Amino acid sequence: MALRTANIIGSGPNGLAAAITLAQRGVAVTVYERNARIGGACSTGEVTLLGFHHDLGSSVYPLGVCSPFFTTLPLAEHGLRWIEPEAPLAHPLDDGSALTLEHSLEGTAEQLGAHDARAWRTLLASTVRDWTKVVEDAMRPLLSVPRHPAALATFGVAAMMPAQALARSVFQGDRARTLFAGCAAHSVLPLTRMASSAPGLLLAAAAHATGWPIVAGGAQALSAALASYLKSLGGTILCEAEVNDLSQLESSDVTLFDTSVEALTRIAGDTLSASYVARLKSFRRGPGIFKLDWALSAPIPWRSAECGRAATVHLGGSLEEIAASEAAMFYGRSCEKPFVLLVQPSLFDTSRAPEGKHTAWAYCHVPNGSDVDMTAVIEAQVERFAPGFREVVLARRASNAAALEAWNPNLVGGDVSGGAMTLSGLIARPTMRLYRTSSARVYLCSSSTPPGGGVHGMCGHGAALAVLEDFTL
């Protein structure tokens, strides 16, 4: 059957990536977005005070700047400009110092002592050297045949280990262990879980290979560039077009869902088999987040000036503290000293706030669906490393898991990864069908498909390739 038309539900980066992939092959594509603005969690808004522009979801894009799909697109011609901070990451410590993940492998290693400097180089050098090959394979379905088996195998041996075990076995000192633990916590898994090392290794290598950039003007500018390119290919985007049933859509050959599996089940309804729906219900949700957005009168007063060189700051005093935090949230418990991910984009992009003022945001992981207010706990963690922080806060907005889901229904229970990033949850994501469903005309293209969470467009691109494989153009 020839493929001529496609509908996409949702205009997040994966929905737009799927639409672009199909439009590049001459398919007439229409994207339906329930909100007044495109982008989903890749968007920007004034949510505290006028003139303070906050990224509402994602903000830093180590996997976006190196995405095997995004890098093929002329996004600079459509307004995208990456801003690379002086250092990709800072991680302050209780003694008043801070570790930095530098662009240079050597610059990072020299902070760690002789033994751990050698260990850092040994652990990451081959991945950095083969970065393009590793990323190309790591951002495809886990069970697909690797295109660069030697490069992936070298990465994969360490990546499959639990992060806590890897850190303890490779590094002797607390500094290296802490720096790696913060990177590994992006897995949103207990650091004792198999493959929790993979995100840590990938993100650390990304810092040395392609960086951890933000987008000039905010996350919305990335979505706008993708949308602009799609329109140049003839694609259509309809905003304020909420879809509750497939009958609302114009007739098309296929429909792709950049949504949660719950929304897929609800909207696609009787087009899906009962057995497939049952398998979707067994797909495990990941933990949620509690997020704070701040309008600031001045930069965050970090005790260590090194923290001002990075847009991204990890707050967690040690490997043990970070591991305890991530285990607690995964198993449904609260934590008084949570690992906090903080971003301060206005230090590097003055368009984010009025002159002399700043924006920042932070979140910690919480049990899925948690309604616990973590404001005081998160701000205590910031004060721990930046005494006087609360004195520069002009306004704040707090978003618990329920508020995040109300804003974006794809963030079920506050889960920003589209489902747990466990090893089994990556192999069968959300089922062994991956992008395909039980209906030949319905596909899933959200972060609930491989390779999972993050802003890189590879879920949407992979789903569109599956569509093109199934249809004859």
Side-chain angles (χ1 to χ4, degrees), residues 293-312:
D293 292 288
W294 296 292
L296 305 174
S297 63
I300 296 174
W302 299 108
R303 203 158 40 189
S304 171
E306 290 295 295
C307 293
R309 297 176 55 234
T312 306

Side-chain angles (χ1 to χ4, degrees), residues 41-381:
C42 189
S43 55
T44 306
E46 295 175 296
V47 295
T48 54
L49 300 173
L50 288 177
F52 291 81
H53 301 276
H54 302 272
D55 288 335
L56 305 181
S58 60
S59 203
V60 182
Y61 301 112
L63 299 182
V65 72
C66 68
S67 163
F69 180 58
F70 286 170
T71 53
T72 68
L73 307 180
L75 297 181
E77 298 173 16
H78 292 266
L80 178 66
R81 181 168 66 88
W82 299 110
I83 296 176
E84 184 60 47
E86 184 181 348
L89 167 71
H91 194 133
L93 303 174
D94 285 311
D95 64 4
S97 68
L99 294 160
T100 52
L101 189 58
E102 299 286 340
H103 293 291
S104 160
L105 189 64
E106 287 299 320
T108 303
E110 67 185 15
Q111 304 171 63
L112 306 176
H115 176 278
D116 287 351
R118 288 192 299 272
W120 189 270
R121 294 188 205 100
T122 301
L123 187 63
L124 292 166
S126 63
T127 300
V128 174
R129 182 190 66 235
D130 297 328
W131 179 241
T132 302
K133 296 177 181 178
V134 171
V135 168
E136 185 178 354
D137 278 331
M139 297 182 75
R140 298 172 64 228
L142 203 58
L143 295 184
S144 57
V145 177
R147 295 171 182 172
H148 311 285
L152 188 63
T154 303
F155 168 78
V157 170
M160 287 299 103
M161 289 186 64
Q164 184 168 283
L166 179 64
R168 287 176 173 170
S169 64
V170 170
F171 302 119
Q172 289 183 346
D174 289 338
R175 290 169 67 84
R177 291 175 176 178
T178 301
L179 182 62
F180 180 72
C183 294
H186 286 256
S187 66
V188 203
L189 293 172
L191 302 191
T192 52
R193 282 278 184 131
M194 288 287 292
S196 55
S197 288
L201 292 169
L202 204 63
L203 292 174
H208 301 316
T210 45
W212 288 25
I214 60 174
V215 175
Q220 194 75 52
L222 173 56
S223 297
L226 290 166
S228 176
Y229 179 53
L230 173 61
K231 291 175 182 177
S232 76
L233 298 172
T236 300
I237 301 175
L238 302 177
C239 290
E240 296 184 287
E242 184 166 5
V243 179
N244 293 303
D245 189 276
L246 288 179
S247 63
Q248 295 175 242
L249 304 178
E250 293 291 326
S251 177
S252 69
D253 296 320
V254 293
T255 299
L256 291 85
F257 283 71
D258 182 16
T259 70
S260 66
V261 296
E262 291 83 354
L264 168 66
T265 301
R266 175 174 55 82
I267 297 169
D270 294 339
T271 64
L272 303 176
S273 70
S275 60
Y276 177 72
V277 171
R279 288 195 294 276
L280 287 181
K281 289 180 179 178
S282 67
F283 181 55
R284 179 170 182 165
R285 273 279 145 209
I289 65 167
F290 184 97
K291 182 173 184 281
L292 287 170
D293 292 288
W294 296 292
L296 305 174
S297 63
I300 296 174
W302 299 108
R303 203 158 40 189
S304 171
E306 290 295 295
C307 293
R309 297 176 55 234
T312 306
V313 184
H314 287 168
L315 304 179
S318 65
L319 165 64
E320 289 71 26
E321 182 179 313
I322 295 169
S325 167
E326 297 307 282
M329 58 81 196
F330 193 82
Y331 295 115
R333 306 187 301 271
S334 295
C335 182
E336 288 304 309
K337 284 190 174 182
F339 171 71
V340 172
L341 173 65
L342 182 145
V343 177
Q344 45 187 3
S346 60
L347 290 181
F348 308 95
D349 180 4
T350 57
S351 72
R352 305 294 186 101
E355 185 176 358
K357 304 296 192 295
H358 288 272
T359 62
W361 63 258
Y363 70 63
C364 68
H365 298 134
V366 295
N368 189 276
S370 172
D371 60 359
V372 175
D373 187 343
M374 300 293 284
T375 301
V377 174
I378 290 176
E379 293 192 347
Q381 284 288 71

Side-chain angles (χ1 to χ4, degrees), residues 374-398:
M374 300 293 284
T375 301
V377 174
I378 290 176
E379 293 192 347
Q381 284 288 71
V382 182
E383 284 273 349
R384 174 181 171 187
F385 302 103
F389 164 70
R390 290 191 181 94
E391 296 173 15
V392 304
V393 175
L394 296 172
R396 64 176 58 79
R397 185 185 75 158

